[in-house]
Amino acid sequence: MKNNLNRRHFIKTAATGALGLSAASSAFSFNILSQYPLKDKYRVAVIGVNSRGSQHIQAFAKIPNVEIAYICDVDSRARENGIALALKEGVKTAPTGLVDFRKALEDKTLDAVSIAMPDFWHTPASIMALQAGKHVYLEKPGSHNPAESELLVEATKKYGKIVQMGNQRRSWPRVQEAMKELHSGAIGKAYYARAWYTNTRKSIGYGKPAAVPEWLDFELWQGPAPRAEFKDNLIHYNWHWFWHWGTGEIVNNGVHFLDLARWGLQVEYPEKCYSSGGRYHFQDDWETPDTQIASYNFADGKSILWEGRSCNARDINAMGSGVSFHGENGTLELLNNSYKIYDNANKLVKSAEPTTNTVVDQRGAGFDMDIAHFTNFINAIDKGESQISPYPEIQKSVLLCHLGNISYRTGRALEIDQNSGKILGDKEAMKLWGREYQKGWEPKL
């Protein structure tokens, strides 16, 4: 506390008396003050730590001005593992473990939450946090449906807090460099982007009703989703493949690459979307497609194609996932934290190798590089640094994924309002724009 008071006194003195600033220079004085953070530590709660959330812990543990105050999870095993991981990563004081993250939101000294819960929790939990005055780092996709995306954009604006989505590839050095090349005309006008993701996921079988494990608070796990019985093939990952809980591969992983495609082509909302595919590889409870194609046409003569194969990992351009951009004068392949540029004679004209020796699993996260994304979130709070992935902008990429699913589920092309992203003239499709909620759990502003 003494150090904070001394720093406040120094800033006040430097910004007024010592610099001789007059009342007429008050705007300049304000800018100086905004450059000096008054907090030594930002207290963060990590919510949902069974999978990707563990990497949230690792990242925040490496940021000097962050204190991990809470580890929250409905799974007692994950909660205990998360606390142990924080200590292993160098956190000096063990975070408090909580089953119900809402108790952490009551702590007025808590600055931010980091959410890695299932998709159907993303928007409701984020709005609760914003209403409690917390900043939000939100794992992709940020919403279970388009209506939630819209609601979270409104909440971000209403409550005036930082909301950063975890599409961390926007922070990778070679990705940023490739976008500069693309936007400066390295392949002329870029008019087509191809995005893909492949994997070899196994069958989830047919689930049987079972007793809820003693380590799980299943009631709280369900939260805003209408109640359903517990089955033995649902938790912790397979919920992704049920429409009731998840959003399929296109929203689960496609969002990373469709976001890069949209960023590279510099497009907003499409004018048309069509998607097809199916569950082909196995016969089981899996509801979302394991093979999916989605195409998007934009008014300015540009288009994007997404290909997802959850159960067949044959590479494209020697990579399990990636994006290629095609233009008047050639092609740019964005294949990792690296890229290649070819001319129209298929001659390699530039090859930019990875900026790190760390091998990146394209079917997962590039953790060492992801830390920059988390650091940007904290710096946006602490120093007013420009956000790399502000939610109101990134949700446009998320919407592409949701539109792909709606087209797939209705079996037809969708006409889209290019100003709002809304589906035009299709009441049946618009029924999938939102969802029903468990009574009393409806997200509200």
Side-chain angles (χ1 to χ4, degrees):
M1 179 64 70
K2 184 177 179 181
N3 288 340
N4 264 349
L5 290 174
N6 287 342
R7 182 157 57 167
R8 284 187 176 92
H9 176 72
F10 168 78
I11 295 168
K12 183 177 180 181
T13 303
T16 55
L19 293 177
L21 296 175
S22 67
S25 59
S26 60
F28 179 60
S29 175
F30 174 80
N31 287 336
I32 287 178
L33 287 171
S34 70
Q35 294 173 22
Y36 292 85
L38 297 178
K39 295 196 69 162
D40 292 321
K41 290 283 184 181
Y42 286 87
R43 304 184 77 240
V44 175
V46 183
I47 310 170
V49 297
N50 186 71
S51 182
R52 175 64 174 162
S54 64
Q55 294 175 327
H56 288 214
I57 293 170
Q58 290 175 289
F60 283 119
K62 290 176 172 62
I63 303 174
N65 60 334
V66 169
E67 174 190 345
I68 300 177
Y70 297 95
I71 300 292
C72 311
D73 203 292
V74 295
D75 180 340
S76 62
R77 306 167 309 169
R79 199 165 59 247
E80 291 165 8
N81 289 340
I83 294 170
L85 177 61
L87 293 171
K88 179 183 176 183
E89 293 295 324
V91 171
K92 301 302 181 186
T93 303
T96 299
L98 293 175
V99 179
D100 191 337
F101 75 93
R102 292 173 294 179
K103 293 182 179 178
L105 300 183
E106 296 171 3
D107 184 346
K108 295 190 183 302
T109 70
L110 187 71
D111 297 292
V113 299
S114 188
I115 297 172
M117 305 161 86
D119 296 1
F120 64 91
W121 256 112
H122 286 188
T123 291
S126 296
I127 290 175
M128 290 179 195
L130 292 171
Q131 290 170 335
K134 318 306 180 188
H135 301 282
V136 177
Y137 184 98
L138 179 59
E139 197 51 57
K140 52 77 183 170
S143 62
H144 179 266
N145 52 71
E148 289 186 350
S149 291
E150 292 178 318
L151 194 61
L152 186 50
V153 169
E154 291 178 32
T156 301
K157 296 174 181 176
K158 178 176 180 178
Y159 297 108
K161 296 294 181 180
I162 300 295
V163 179
Q164 172 121 312
M165 201 174 83
N167 53 325
Q168 62 275 358
R169 283 166 177 78
R170 282 202 174 217
S171 290
W172 292 8
R174 286 297 194 213
V175 170
Q176 294 178 344
E177 184 181 317
M179 292 302 171
K180 289 179 182 176
E181 290 273 9
L182 199 61
H183 297 160
S184 65
I187 60 171
K189 178 188 174 183
Y191 50 77
Y192 170 59
R194 181 188 188 188
W196 66 93
Y197 175 88
T198 68
N199 209 327
T200 51
R201 302 192 189 280
K202 305 305 180 185
S203 174
I204 66 172
Y206 293 99
K208 300 180 182 64
V212 176
E214 52 84 21
W215 43 261
L216 176 68
D217 186 332
F218 186 53
E219 174 67 18
L220 188 56
W221 183 87
Q222 294 184 91
R227 296 298 175 259
E229 66 178 339
F230 180 82
K231 290 189 176 182
D232 59 9
N233 68 343
L234 176 64
I235 292 175
H236 272 297
Y237 199 80
N238 292 338
W239 55 263
H240 281 93
W241 321 126
F242 296 90
W243 295 117
H244 187 77
W245 316 105
T247 52
E249 199 75 87
I250 191 171
V251 188
N252 180 39
N253 276 301
V255 64
H256 286 301
F257 306 100
L258 282 167
D259 177 55
L260 295 178
R262 194 181 67 81
W263 182 16
L265 290 186
Q266 297 177 292
V267 292
E268 299 289 320
Y269 298 114
E271 60 179 2
K272 184 174 290 188
C273 166
Y274 178 67
S275 180
S276 64
R279 174 60 168 161
Y280 300 135
H281 205 94
F282 298 105
Q283 296 296 312
D284 54 15
D285 282 341
W286 186 313
E287 295 175 350
T288 65
D290 64 25
T291 305
Q292 187 173 8
I293 300 292
S295 61
Y296 307 87
N297 294 338
F298 298 85
D300 49 357
K302 297 177 181 180
S303 63
I304 295 173
L305 179 70
W306 151 259
E307 178 180 341
R309 284 179 277 116
S310 299
C311 302
N312 182 304
R314 178 63 179 172
D315 295 338
I316 295 174
N317 295 343
M319 292 299 296
S321 57
V323 186
S324 60
F325 297 92
H326 307 266
E328 297 168 319
N329 302 326
T331 295
L332 186 151
E333 293 179 349
L334 184 53
L335 299 173
N336 196 318
N337 183 37
S338 64
Y339 64 91
K340 294 180 179 180
I341 300 175
Y342 297 86
D343 65 16
N344 267 343
N346 208 30
K347 177 183 176 182
L348 180 65
V349 296
K350 183 172 183 178
S351 180
E353 299 305 313
T355 56
T356 172
N357 291 327
T358 303
V359 176
V360 178
D361 177 4
Q362 277 286 51
R363 299 183 183 96
F367 177 69
D368 285 350
M369 292 178 290
D370 293 356
I371 295 171
H373 206 64
F374 289 89
T375 301
N376 172 250
F377 169 65
I378 294 299
N379 286 347
I381 300 168
D382 188 44
K383 303 173 183 177
E385 183 174 294
S386 235
Q387 276 183 265
I388 290 172
S389 294
Y391 187 77
E393 170 60 22
I394 302 307
Q395 69 88 23
K396 297 171 187 173
S397 301
V398 178
L399 180 59
L400 293 183
C401 305
H402 288 315
L403 289 172
N405 273 340
I406 294 173
S407 173
Y408 167 79
R409 295 177 74 178
T410 57
R412 56 179 172 272
L414 305 175
E415 300 292 333
I416 310 298
D417 184 326
Q418 298 159 54
N419 296 312
S420 67
K422 284 276 180 65
I423 300 166
L424 297 172
D426 193 329
K427 291 182 179 179
E428 182 185 356
M430 280 301 293
K431 288 179 181 177
L432 296 173
W433 192 260
R435 73 164 307 163
E436 293 183 358
Y437 294 92
Q438 181 69 14
K439 187 176 180 180
W441 283 92
E442 303 87 349
K444 298 175 182 177
L445 296 188

